[in-house]
Amino acid sequence: MKRLFCSFLLILITAAPAYASIQSGQWKYYREVRSSKEGFVLISTDKDLLEKAQKELSDLRLTDDEGREIPYQAVRQESPREYSYPPLLIDVVTRDNSSSLTLDLSKTGILHNEISLDIENNEDYLRDVTVEGSNDNSSWSLIKKDKLFYVPPDFKKSKLSYTPVSFRYLRLTVDCSGKKPLRITGAGVKYVPPLNNIITKTIPVNQQPPRNDLKTKTTEIIIDLGTKGYQVDHIDLKTDSPNFYRRVEIYESDDAKEWSLLTSDRIYAYQWPGYQASSDSISVHLNTGRYLKAVINNQDSPPLDVRAEVYGEAPELLASLTAGNYKLWYGNPLAGRPRYDLDQFSGMIDKIGLENISPGPEQVNPEYKEKISPENSKHLVNATVIIAALVIGFIILKSLKSKPTQ
């Protein structure tokens, strides 16, 4: 009996699956990558690769012509940098009908196009503001007329954007005629690259017809990107409807059944004599599943007729190469995400101006042999254990029955 029990334990222990070390024969597809010089490069991916690779590109491997693994890091397109210029606040003046302040950037020639204001006020307000520029703090040129507003608890406009200028001094005059003056306690000046300089690629999508839910008072728009893995920068929700304000949630999914929240924001458009403002863009900056869903909260207002435009791109791979031939492997459901030293410092590398390499066409690996997936392997192990238990149980039972009675 003791011998049979030990045999039973041995079978259970050795029934666990054992996987071979990773070899190129475990990858179904590859593409050739050719580098003409030494240094960091960006390797492009595309829709077909994203579709056949594992989620989050966990199965991507890069090897040289001798089969050695080369570290890489998936990165998003490098955005032009923002530049901040802390100004000095001078000539802060508050009158019955207006309040004004002058900002000094300390020198001329600094390009800027945005002012953000720190305003202490707990009540709602709407004020006209005039922005002027000067290089001598004496003669002034009009930059822009705009509005500042605040609607509790958190809807406000305290940033003023304008065409890039290089004035040293900026003067802001807030019209408070018949209203309580605003208390401005601080300001910041920036140069913010225009959105069309950051990313201009539109991802082709298939948008399902909007679905209006009368119970939840929402409009749902499901967007099919065609594959998982795109790095979505932002989503524009276009409509011709005037004067609206709606909260929007953006969700993602791999199967259009199970959804995860990505982000939330507002879209709005205001237009009346003397004032116009709008925002239809929702920032995402994330890798997403194949499907996106925009949920627009209508409350008791009529639904908007909205069409979606998605901006982003397939990820790029940062790698340090020498001149030579390489292979980019994908299509291995058993491969886990690799971890390289490059993960720790890839963000420090300036990617603007790096050579961009487009891999060759997809090729099927003739050495590929399909392996048992982890899920199927789990089922196989369970079945093996059950069968082993039944066999051992049968042997034990047979042994007990055949034992002569005393």
Side-chain angles (χ1 to χ4, degrees):
M1 180 68 69
K2 185 175 182 180
R3 183 182 302 171
L4 290 174
F5 182 74
C6 292
S7 299
F8 180 68
L9 287 179
L10 182 61
I11 292 175
L12 290 180
I13 293 172
T14 57
Y19 297 116
S21 59
I22 294 177
Q23 299 176 356
S24 61
Q26 294 180 320
W27 274 262
K28 188 172 183 179
Y29 307 101
Y30 71 90
R31 297 188 184 191
E32 294 184 351
V33 177
R34 296 181 180 179
S35 175
S36 59
K37 59 183 181 180
E38 183 176 356
F40 280 104
V41 300
L42 293 172
I43 303 172
S44 302
T45 64
D46 57 25
K47 179 181 177 181
D48 291 336
L49 186 150
L50 295 180
E51 186 174 2
K52 295 176 181 177
Q54 296 301 298
K55 189 173 183 180
E56 299 181 354
L57 305 181
S58 62
D59 61 334
L60 256 61
R61 297 294 188 274
L62 182 64
T63 61
D64 62 15
D65 54 2
E66 295 183 6
R68 293 173 298 195
E69 190 170 344
I70 304 298
Y72 74 89
Q73 176 69 21
V75 296
R76 68 185 308 275
Q77 185 186 48
E78 190 80 2
S79 300
R81 298 176 181 173
E82 296 183 0
Y83 295 90
S84 298
Y85 307 105
L88 296 175
L89 274 66
I90 60 176
D91 298 336
V92 179
V93 179
T94 301
R95 300 185 178 89
D96 291 340
N97 295 327
S98 67
S99 57
S100 66
L101 74 157
T102 302
L103 308 178
D104 182 4
L105 299 180
S106 302
K107 61 180 180 180
T108 59
I110 297 176
L111 195 66
H112 49 88
N113 62 354
E114 181 183 283
I115 301 172
S116 58
L117 299 175
D118 298 327
I119 303 174
E120 287 191 358
N121 199 93
N122 295 325
E123 300 175 352
D124 62 297
Y125 60 80
L126 174 63
R127 303 285 191 274
D128 293 306
V129 60
T130 301
V131 183
E132 300 169 288
S134 173
N135 283 324
D136 58 10
N137 199 21
S138 178
S139 57
W140 296 89
S141 300
L142 177 65
I143 295 177
K144 186 178 185 179
K145 290 187 176 182
D146 206 337
K147 290 186 183 291
L148 302 170
F149 59 79
Y150 172 64
V151 178
D154 59 358
F155 183 48
K156 65 180 179 179
K157 180 185 177 184
S158 57
K159 291 183 179 180
L160 305 170
S161 300
Y162 46 89
T163 302
V165 296
S166 58
F167 293 114
R168 170 177 173 172
Y169 298 96
L170 295 167
R171 184 170 67 186
L172 289 81
T173 304
V174 182
D175 185 359
C176 301
S177 300
K179 301 173 184 178
K180 182 180 178 180
L182 298 180
R183 185 167 180 261
I184 301 175
T185 59
V189 178
K190 283 184 176 182
Y191 174 73
V192 180
L195 185 61
N196 56 11
N197 286 352
I198 298 176
I199 192 162
T200 58
K201 296 180 181 178
T202 305
I203 300 175
V205 301
N206 180 21
Q207 176 181 319
Q208 297 182 11
R211 185 178 72 87
N212 298 312
D213 191 323
L214 298 179
K215 292 183 178 180
T216 61
K217 301 180 181 180
T218 60
T219 299
E220 289 188 359
I221 302 172
I222 295 180
I223 307 161
D224 184 0
L225 303 181
T227 186
K228 63 188 182 307
Y230 276 115
Q231 291 179 332
V232 175
D233 188 85
H234 64 279
I235 302 172
D236 288 354
L237 298 176
K238 302 290 187 180
T239 179
D240 295 327
S241 301
N243 293 321
F244 65 87
Y245 169 85
R246 306 290 164 91
R247 292 182 178 272
V248 181
E249 291 93 36
I250 302 295
Y251 297 83
E252 61 123 4
S253 173
D254 291 325
D255 57 9
K257 297 177 181 178
E258 300 292 331
W259 297 93
S260 299
L261 178 66
L262 285 177
T263 187
S264 61
D265 208 337
R266 309 171 182 85
I267 57 174
Y268 60 86
Y270 309 135
Q271 184 174 4
W272 53 80
Y275 184 66
Q276 180 174 337
S278 64
S279 176
D280 59 12
S281 185
I282 298 177
S283 297
V284 178
H285 304 301
L286 291 170
N287 284 41
T288 71
R290 172 172 175 171
Y291 300 94
L292 298 174
K293 178 170 68 173
V295 178
I296 304 172
N297 294 274
N298 301 314
Q299 295 183 320
D300 294 317
S301 299
L304 301 174
D305 183 13
V306 174
R307 61 189 182 278
E309 295 178 359
V310 181
Y311 293 83
E313 62 178 356
E316 294 177 317
L317 309 179
L318 175 70
S320 179
L321 306 180
T322 57
N325 297 324
Y326 300 82
K327 286 184 178 179
L328 181 62
W329 303 89
Y330 56 101
N332 180 355
L334 300 180
R337 180 180 179 271
R339 297 188 180 277
Y340 305 117
D341 293 340
L342 185 58
D343 295 4
Q344 305 301 318
F345 58 87
S346 62
M348 301 170 60
I349 301 171
D350 188 356
K351 303 167 190 66
I352 296 178
L354 291 183
E355 179 185 6
N356 193 291
I357 299 177
S358 296
E362 179 179 278
Q363 300 185 52
V364 177
N365 182 10
E367 299 178 358
Y368 173 72
K369 295 180 180 180
E370 188 171 1
K371 303 292 183 180
I372 300 175
S373 69
E375 186 64 25
N376 290 335
S377 177
K378 178 181 177 182
H379 295 322
L380 179 61
V381 171
N382 291 338
T384 302
V385 171
I386 293 172
I387 293 173
L390 291 175
V391 171
I392 297 300
F394 175 77
I395 294 174
I396 294 173
L397 182 62
K398 185 176 180 181
S399 175
L400 291 174
K401 287 184 176 180
S402 62
K403 188 176 180 180
T405 58
Q406 297 293 334

